[in-house]
Amino acid sequence: MKRFARCLLAVFSSLGTSCILLVLLGLLTWLGTLEQTRTGLFEVQRKYFESFFLVHRFGSIPIPLPGANLVMCLLAVNLFVGGLVRIRKSWATFGIIVAHVGIAMLLASALVKYEWSEDGHVTLYEGQRADHFESYFRWEIALIRKEDDGKTREWLVPHERIEDAQRSRVRVSMTDVPFELEIESLARNCRPEWAKDAGAHGPIVVDGVRLVSRAVDARAEANIAGACVSVVDERDGIRRRALLWGAEAKPFTFFAAGKPWALSLRKERYEMPFALQLARFTKEDHPGIDMPKSFQSDVKVASAGVERDVKISMNEPLRDGGLVLYQASWGPSNARPGDRLFSTFAVVRNPADQWPLAACLVIAAGLLFHFVRKLVRYVQLEARAA
Amino acid sequence: MNEWMRHCAGLGIAGASVFAFGCANRSENVVTSKIETSRIVENSKIDFSAQPSHAERFGLVASTRPTHDPHAPDADDSKSQFTWNTPGGWSELPSSSMRVANFRPAGDERAECYLTMLAGEAGGLTANINRWRSQLSLGGVSAADVEQLPRVDFFGRKAVVVEATGTWTGMSGGDSKSAWALLALALVEPGGSVFLKMTGPKNTVASQREAFLALAASFGAPGQPAAKVDDTAGGFAFELPNAWRRGPPKNSRALSFWAGEGEVVECYVTVLGGTAGGELANVNRWRTQLGIASVDEAAIGVLDPFTMLGRPAHVVELVGETSAIFGVTCMGEDKSVFVKMTGPVELVRKQRSAMLAFASSLKETPTR
Amino acid sequence: MSTFIRQFCALIALVLVSAGLNARPQASEHRTQPWSERTLEAFGEIPIQDGGRIKPLSTYASFALLRLNGKRSAESSTGEVLDPVAWLLDVTFFPEDAALSKSFLVSDSDAIIAIGLSTDGKKKRDRWTYAELLPGMPRLFSLAHDYDAIEAKARTSIQQQVVDLASNVFSFMRLARSFDWSRGGDPSDGHALTVIAPANTTNVDQPWFAPANLVAGIGPNRSLEPADAAVVAEFETLIRLRADAGAFESTLISLRDRLVARAMARGEYEHVELERAYYAFDPIRWSLASFIAAFLVVSIMWLRPRSKLAWKSTLALTSVGALLLVTAIVLRCIIRERPPVSTLYETVLFVTASCVLVAVFIECVQRSRFAIQTAAVLGTVGLFVANGYETLDKQDTMPSLVAVLDTNFWLATHVTAITIGYSAGMLAAALASFYLLGKLIGWKRDEPETRRKLARTVYGVVCFALIFSTVGTILGGVWANDSWGRFWGWDPKENGALLIVISQIVMLHARRGGYLRDDGLCMAAAFGGTIVAFSWWGVNLLGVGLHSYGFTSGIHSALWTYYGIQWGVVGLGGVAWLRERATRKNVPVETPVLEHRRAKKMRAAA
């Protein structure tokens, strides 16, 4: 047993392992880059860079490979055991150890971002106000009940269950809700159509309309999901069926158990600790050509009754309440002078926001120390030999 | 080294089997789930009493109040999402990368009509017109001649109407047809050009002229219902003053008119959510459009009072160097309504009383 | 329909189209003598607002002609060789003469056949005049209109050429119509020469006007400001006096003074003169000449390896070349008020300069001669690539930047670090290739120490590259995080940078662990050159992701040529290594680590 442990330690701290793992990571990076020309970034990211295992097709030959997630986990272990614990400690290796610490910080910030961050966007027309931001890719189904005091209560079916619905039916029960929801089918990208000829097969037709699946768009944000959902009420045996579509103008409203309810398929929403209102958006082009020179949004940030004016522009985000808001884009793209414009902010909640910069400085310091020291000794050696 | 490899292999096999086991656990028919938590939301704008049909929810029919949806998918793929009203008797043909919309007018095999969209100016207006003319074996025209051609509204902008008759030689100059005609709309702008072109035997083109122009007027962008020339005004009832006509529909405008002769003075009604940035901001925006200096809050206080839609409103009269804006601002908590008339100074002045009469006659119709 | 009638109609079209080009009311005059020096100077100094920045008309003319003609000169009908400013003067003031100058380069005459013209008397790749192309123009525009609808990546070479030719002809026509308004033509055309700054405002975001813009603004209720009217009047005088060389010159000088004064009043004329001086002096051309000279001397060094004179002259010429190149980069920084690297063209200049400077430094420390030879080669190749790219790209090499790039801090830190990383990577590859080829041909066979030294130099350069590549890559992530909220997006350009970092880390770890020794390291470093090239150029050709702002199609073949050559060198290195192993069995080979320990033991024993 002790021999096995020692062997394991030898494997994980060896330079050979580092080389193999790094080469694998390089291979995955290269394959993922080439694949992007065909598939689109979001899919490639999921398949190659956020997975533990994948099968890459070279023509028709399947090649199994570990995913980048797995490789990076192993590299982290290798870095820790070989690069920090077992490495010989002297001035000669001091710089290397510092650099390795920096890389460990980088890997840690990647982990934190992957597990504990949220990102999305909020789009506002001039004058509009919002207190939540939305995901780019993740959907949720919201069951909304009207409360007596004019507010509403929401139960949210998370993205993961919606993904499950692609393969099987999903039955959701919710506390305080006297019926169940069944998601019968889900399409990742679809458009509504009149069901002129109601075929026996094909997408379910409700109310003379059906949702027709389309090929998943390489630009992930362009995909509009659609679901067929049934409200299953055991007590009155009624099964109310509805189609929900990601770009619908209004939610599906119904009455059940004596109360008004609504169902909506929408992008996942995350609360912001403040309310954001867009006062004005200005875009400047370079004079005489159609190239943007600067974008700037004048916004009002209101929290706890206090309102303040802030400018958000390209390269100058707003940091508040653990969130960072960036000027991402604007529209409509065919707007003419005098038309009302909207501004889109990318919103990110990432505890590890500034860690990479710190990691960079640490790595730079370590490498510089190590190589400058080597260079100086080399130059001295050459001078003596000359 | 040998041992090293043996242990590596062992680990690999163990890992693979764990993975395979995890994979196998996938085939289920129903996934159940329980949601434990819920949350209260303060300002939900859902109208629980309305029971919109699926078609209305998905935008397949016009809803009475077109909604801004900044989250609507931005149509890069805009070509396939255009809407239009195919004229009666015309058949739709499959579209292609070049022909965004493709028709067979009045079932005549020899005629065709299609819509093309190109980036940029596509060689320029005159060049394209002359190209079409050369296809009909006609000589070219000059830019000055093109300036004189009539224009109609197309996609909310002014497009040139091109008509010509000649002998068709087409692209390759092979088969030729005499007594052939062309009727086209050309909209050439630096931001992009659109051409709607109908060619065919002279008689067919002549007989389908009205249908062609109606088709052109019906082109609309996604989400916005294809413009219909009927009288369901965007959520309002009103009395239309003398010599006012309905104007080109537009995304942000509930109602749009030409006030008076020709198409010089525009008057339109806009409905914005909330206070739309405030009255001051909107007035200053109008002032900026005219090129006059902005004012501060005090100036708002001295605007003439007015009543519109049963609520207090203000009359705003702004005069620039060559144009003027005459408007009514009606601010509210949930929405604000603006009536704005703009055009050359003298002509706007002439329509003042008509505009005020129109504004006082505005009534909101309840949503269906 | 008979051919005769079709040709007759085509002739009518021809006449009508060319009528738009020629002077209508007056008889056409021709230029009788070459433009005088002072005229050319005065015209070149006029500032023009183009591409969002203020530049001298000479720069504008230079790039316009380069785009149309593939070189910065044009041959007129009288055999006179026109420089860009003279060409532009012809096009705007004597369009009938310019129509007979060879202004259009067509690389494949099949494009000419496609538009229905005959290629008699012309070579496959030849230059054409506007008049020669005129009969084919309706078809040219028609075809270009159709081909334009095809996605750029899917077009064939001929289709792309037709589209480009149409665009070039269109640009020519716009310039030629600049003064049509004075001949009774339409002022709604010919807005290319935006040389008139707005009169009453110092707002630098306002677009400038061409004379035609101002004239178009005159109407029944609108008249020009007195200052603007004076400018228009002066233009009219200039046009009227075009055939009188002396009067033209003095009026042009006066007009130039007026326009320059306007620009100065707005503070927009600051660097225009410096830019003129930069292009006039053309330090890059002199730098290339220096490097070529150094390269020639290098060949002498090979014939006479002990010659100290050859070594010194190579060193001197290379240093002069490097100095001139650095001067060019610094001047460009001043003119654009930006850090040295902001476009793909500038990366080439910077990489060449860093490679040469680092190699010169190595030579001064080591004096082993291989570094300076590599420097001369890299300098020459680098500047050839720069010139080639400029001709392929056909655009102003000092453009305005899109909003996200327009930040001096990140351009100075991230972009500079990455570019230094590229140059170190390429230098390592070059030195490693030197080693591998040398090994193949038996260079310094009896001097293993020199070979060892070269391998160690390669190692040193890889270390240097690693620092800058790693820091640059991470800074790129930090910049992306500050701009868009995501540190790493697996974007192709980011992936390319990561590949470079990974390859360099692998090389160092493998060397440390004894898996790669001198030969292996050099083979890996040479291969690393292709990884750098992929990251630098290859990812732009993929056409995906946030970073594809450098799409150029002619680069594709050059890149694959480089890949082929570099892989060939690696392969040959492998052959040499196998050959050596076969003849040198059972000799214990030492890794650096073992060697170090043995040396320590020996020192302890001693």
Side-chain angles (χ1 to χ4, degrees), chain B residues 196-267:
Chain B
L196 182 66
K197 180 180 170 196
M198 176 165 73
T199 56
K202 201 165 74 171
N203 295 331
T204 312
V205 171
S207 64
Q208 295 303 314
R209 194 171 190 282
E210 289 308 311
F212 176 86
L213 293 173
L215 168 68
S218 77
F219 272 101
Q224 191 205 349
K228 297 198 180 95
V229 189
D230 62 19
D231 273 335
T232 344
F236 292 99
F238 51 87
E239 281 173 23
L240 194 62
N242 249 343
W244 280 35
R245 289 154 295 122
R246 293 300 297 278
K250 243 197 198 182
N251 255 336
S252 50
R253 301 181 182 183
L255 293 171
S256 184
F257 307 96
W258 292 118
E261 298 290 328
E263 290 171 342
V264 193
V265 180
E266 261 194 317
C267 178

Side-chain angles (χ1 to χ4, degrees), chain A residues 15-16 18-19 22-23 25-26 29-30 33 36-37 41 45 49 72 88 93 100 106 113 284 286-289 291-295 314-315 317 319 326 346 348 353 356-357 360 363-364 367-368 371 374 378-379 382, chain C residues 49 51-52 204-207 365-366 400-404 406-407 453 456 459 463 467 470-471 474-475 478-479 481-487 489-490 492 495 498-499 502 505-506 508-510 512-513 515 534 542 544:
Chain A
L15 282 165
S18 314
C19 290
L22 285 168
V23 167
L25 187 60
T29 308
W30 181 61
T33 309
Q36 277 181 48
T37 53
L41 180 55
Q45 196 157 332
F49 300 124
M72 286 200 278
R88 193 167 45 97
T93 57
H100 282 168
L106 211 52
K113 166 120 206 221
E284 253 173 35
H286 284 289
I289 53 175
M291 188 193 284
K293 185 172 163 193
S294 69
F295 307 118
M314 204 50 128
N315 289 325
R319 286 175 213 270
Y326 304 86
V348 177
D353 192 45
L357 180 59
C360 178
I363 294 174
L367 288 178
L368 269 174
F371 292 129
K374 272 204 163 171
Y378 180 72
V379 171
E382 284 293 320
Chain C
Q49 185 193 65
V204 298
D205 289 326
Q206 290 279 18
V365 166
Q366 277 185 345
S400 298
L401 297 177
V402 285
V404 68
D406 214 344
T407 148
K453 209 185 229 187
R456 271 207 293 272
Y459 168 70
C463 294
I467 303 180
T470 313
V471 168
I474 302 180
L475 282 180
V478 176
W479 183 9
N481 194 35
D482 254 9
S483 284
W484 306 312
R486 106 266 184 285
F487 173 82
W490 299 106
N495 291 349
L498 182 63
L499 281 173
I502 288 178
I505 297 181
V506 169
L508 297 187
H509 280 71
R512 181 110 190 157
Y515 307 109
F534 174 74
L542 293 176
V544 254

Side-chain angles (χ1 to χ4, degrees), chain C residues 274-581:
Chain C
L274 186 60
E275 188 173 338
R276 262 183 72 74
Y278 170 79
Y279 279 110
F281 171 45
D282 206 357
I284 293 181
R285 186 167 43 114
W286 288 108
S287 175
L288 178 56
S290 234
F291 285 134
I292 293 178
F295 184 70
L296 292 171
V297 180
V298 161
S299 17
I300 298 179
M301 269 177 76
W302 274 88
L303 297 171
R304 301 169 59 109
R306 300 263 168 246
S307 161
K308 228 170 178 211
L309 179 63
W311 179 76
K312 279 197 175 156
S313 6
T314 313
L315 193 57
L317 284 166
T318 313
S319 308
V320 164
L323 202 63
L324 284 167
L325 187 52
V326 168
T327 311
I329 296 176
V330 168
L331 283 175
R332 294 171 68 99
C333 286
I334 298 176
I335 293 171
R336 291 302 287 141
E337 291 174 5
R338 292 202 286 241
V341 183
S342 53
T343 62
L344 209 45
Y345 175 77
E346 287 171 353
T347 62
V348 182
L349 294 181
F350 195 87
V351 164
T352 311
S354 325
C355 281
V356 171
L357 285 172
V358 172
V360 165
F361 171 75
I362 292 175
E363 185 68 30
C364 290
V365 166
Q366 277 185 345
R367 297 162 190 268
S368 307
R369 295 177 175 232
F370 49 73
I372 197 66
Q373 294 175 14
T374 316
V377 170
L378 284 176
T380 315
V381 169
L383 290 186
F384 271 122
V385 169
N387 285 342
Y389 180 75
E390 190 189 32
T391 312
L392 264 177
D393 197 34
K394 304 179 201 139
Q395 285 175 40
D396 190 358
T397 52
M398 298 191 200
S400 298
L401 297 177
V402 285
V404 68
L405 290 180
D406 214 344
T407 148
N408 279 352
F409 173 72
W410 290 114
L411 284 177
T413 47
H414 157 67
V415 177
T416 312
I418 287 272
T419 314
I420 297 178
Y422 288 164
S423 60
M426 297 308 283
L427 180 61
L431 288 169
S433 304
F434 194 112
Y435 177 97
L436 294 170
L437 288 173
K439 190 155 184 146
L440 191 71
I441 65 175
W443 171 72
K444 303 275 182 195
R445 196 200 308 263
D446 40 353
E447 267 184 64
E449 255 319 298
T450 315
R451 278 203 197 155
R452 277 308 231 1
K453 209 185 229 187
L454 177 53
R456 271 207 293 272
T457 311
V458 170
Y459 168 70
V461 175
V462 170
C463 294
F464 175 72
L466 179 67
I467 303 180
F468 284 96
S469 306
T470 313
V471 168
T473 306
I474 302 180
L475 282 180
V478 176
W479 183 9
N481 194 35
D482 254 9
S483 284
W484 306 312
R486 106 266 184 285
F487 173 82
W488 191 261
W490 299 106
D491 179 80
K493 195 84 174 176
E494 292 171 342
N495 291 349
L498 182 63
L499 281 173
I500 298 178
V501 172
I502 288 178
S503 68
Q504 289 164 354
I505 297 181
V506 169
M507 276 189 253
L508 297 187
H509 280 71
R511 185 176 183 275
R512 181 110 190 157
Y515 307 109
L516 289 179
R517 277 149 229 150
D518 287 355
D519 293 355
L521 181 68
C522 287
M523 283 168 68
F527 183 76
T530 54
I531 298 181
V532 173
F534 174 74
S535 170
W536 188 5
W537 299 97
V539 291
N540 297 330
L541 297 179
L542 293 176
V544 254
L546 291 159
H547 281 90
S548 54
Y549 43 76
F551 179 87
T552 39
S553 53
I555 297 293
H556 193 263
S557 40
L559 188 60
W560 278 93
T561 313
Y562 169 69
Y563 287 160
I565 296 176
Q566 189 72 87
W567 291 337
V569 169
V570 174
L572 288 172
V575 163
W577 176 70
L578 286 169
R579 203 175 56 183
E580 194 190 46
R581 262 189 71 163

Side-chain angles (χ1 to χ4, degrees), chain C residues 213-227:
Chain C
N213 289 124
L214 289 183
V215 170
I218 301 174
N221 297 335
R222 294 168 291 176
S223 59
L224 292 175
E225 303 266 335

Side-chain angles (χ1 to χ4, degrees), chain B:
Chain B
M1 200 60 174
N2 245 338
E3 271 195 58
W4 185 94
M5 280 161 79
R6 248 189 296 140
H7 286 295
C8 257
L11 272 173
I13 294 172
S17 44
V18 166
F19 177 76
F21 177 68
C23 260
N25 218 358
R26 283 291 202 177
S27 52
E28 284 180 35
N29 252 325
V30 181
V31 172
T32 52
S33 155
K34 184 149 174 83
I35 309 292
E36 311 268 321
T37 51
S38 60
R39 67 181 188 199
I40 294 276
V41 169
E42 308 257 320
N43 343 310
S44 170
K45 294 188 176 54
I46 301 176
D47 184 0
F48 285 89
S49 55
Q51 300 266 302
S53 68
H54 276 62
E56 208 182 314
R57 284 170 52 220
F58 295 164
L60 292 174
V61 293
S63 41
T64 49
R65 207 167 293 178
T67 44
H68 292 301
D69 193 359
H71 306 290
D74 207 329
D76 231 6
D77 189 20
S78 60
K79 298 178 181 181
S80 54
Q81 289 184 20
F82 273 114
T83 55
W84 58 80
N85 289 334
T86 311
W90 286 37
S91 28
E92 272 191 49
L93 299 176
S95 58
S96 69
S97 60
M98 276 197 59
R99 300 185 178 192
V100 175
N102 201 359
F103 309 93
R104 179 81 64 210
D108 187 337
E109 286 294 302
R110 299 166 296 170
E112 52 179 17
C113 178
Y114 55 86
L115 181 79
T116 323
M117 300 178 75
L118 292 167
E121 289 185 347
L125 184 56
T126 314
N128 276 289
I129 292 175
N130 285 335
R131 184 169 56 83
W132 293 339
R133 289 178 65 88
S134 68
Q135 286 169 357
L136 282 172
S137 316
L138 297 171
V141 293
S142 69
D145 296 332
V146 169
E147 281 291 302
Q148 304 301 324
L149 291 174
R151 280 154 164 78
V152 295
D153 285 322
F154 191 36
F155 284 104
R157 290 159 166 74
K158 288 275 178 239
V160 175
V161 183
V162 185
E163 300 189 63
T165 323
T167 304
W168 174 259
T169 55
M171 304 285 204
S172 50
D175 48 327
S176 68
K177 308 164 201 179
S178 53
W180 217 249
L182 159 90
L183 172 59
L185 295 188
L187 176 62
V188 170
E189 285 182 358
S193 305
V194 190
F195 304 95
L196 182 66
K197 180 180 170 196
M198 176 165 73
T199 56
K202 201 165 74 171
N203 295 331
T204 312
V205 171
S207 64
Q208 295 303 314
R209 194 171 190 282
E210 289 308 311
F212 176 86
L213 293 173
L215 168 68
S218 77
F219 272 101
Q224 191 205 349
K228 297 198 180 95
V229 189
D230 62 19
D231 273 335
T232 344
F236 292 99
F238 51 87
E239 281 173 23
L240 194 62
N242 249 343
W244 280 35
R245 289 154 295 122
R246 293 300 297 278
K250 243 197 198 182
N251 255 336
S252 50
R253 301 181 182 183
L255 293 171
S256 184
F257 307 96
W258 292 118
E261 298 290 328
E263 290 171 342
V264 193
V265 180
E266 261 194 317
C267 178
Y268 52 87
V269 179
T270 322
V271 180
L272 300 175
T275 55
E279 192 167 19
L280 179 62
N282 280 287
V283 170
N284 278 335
R285 187 162 53 84
W286 289 354
R287 294 183 75 97
T288 314
Q289 287 168 4
L290 286 179
I292 43 184
S294 303
V295 291
D296 57 6
E297 194 65 44
I300 299 296
V302 298
L303 290 175
D304 293 328
F306 192 70
T307 313
M308 188 166 78
L309 296 169
R311 289 203 287 257
H314 285 131
V315 175
V316 180
E317 181 163 10
L318 303 169
V319 176
E321 277 192 12
T322 48
S323 13
I325 291 180
F326 188 72
V328 176
T329 58
C330 181
M331 315 301 296
E333 281 308 295
D334 54 332
K335 67 173 188 285
S336 305
V337 181
F338 301 88
V339 181
K340 179 182 174 193
M341 181 164 71
T342 158
V345 179
E346 277 310 302
L347 298 176
V348 164
R349 225 167 248 167
K350 281 197 198 136
Q351 297 292 338
R352 277 178 58 190
S353 39
M355 196 279 243
L356 289 177
F358 163 79
S360 10
S361 77
L362 267 179
K363 285 195 211 1
E364 279 178 312
T365 54
T367 52
R368 263 186 277 124

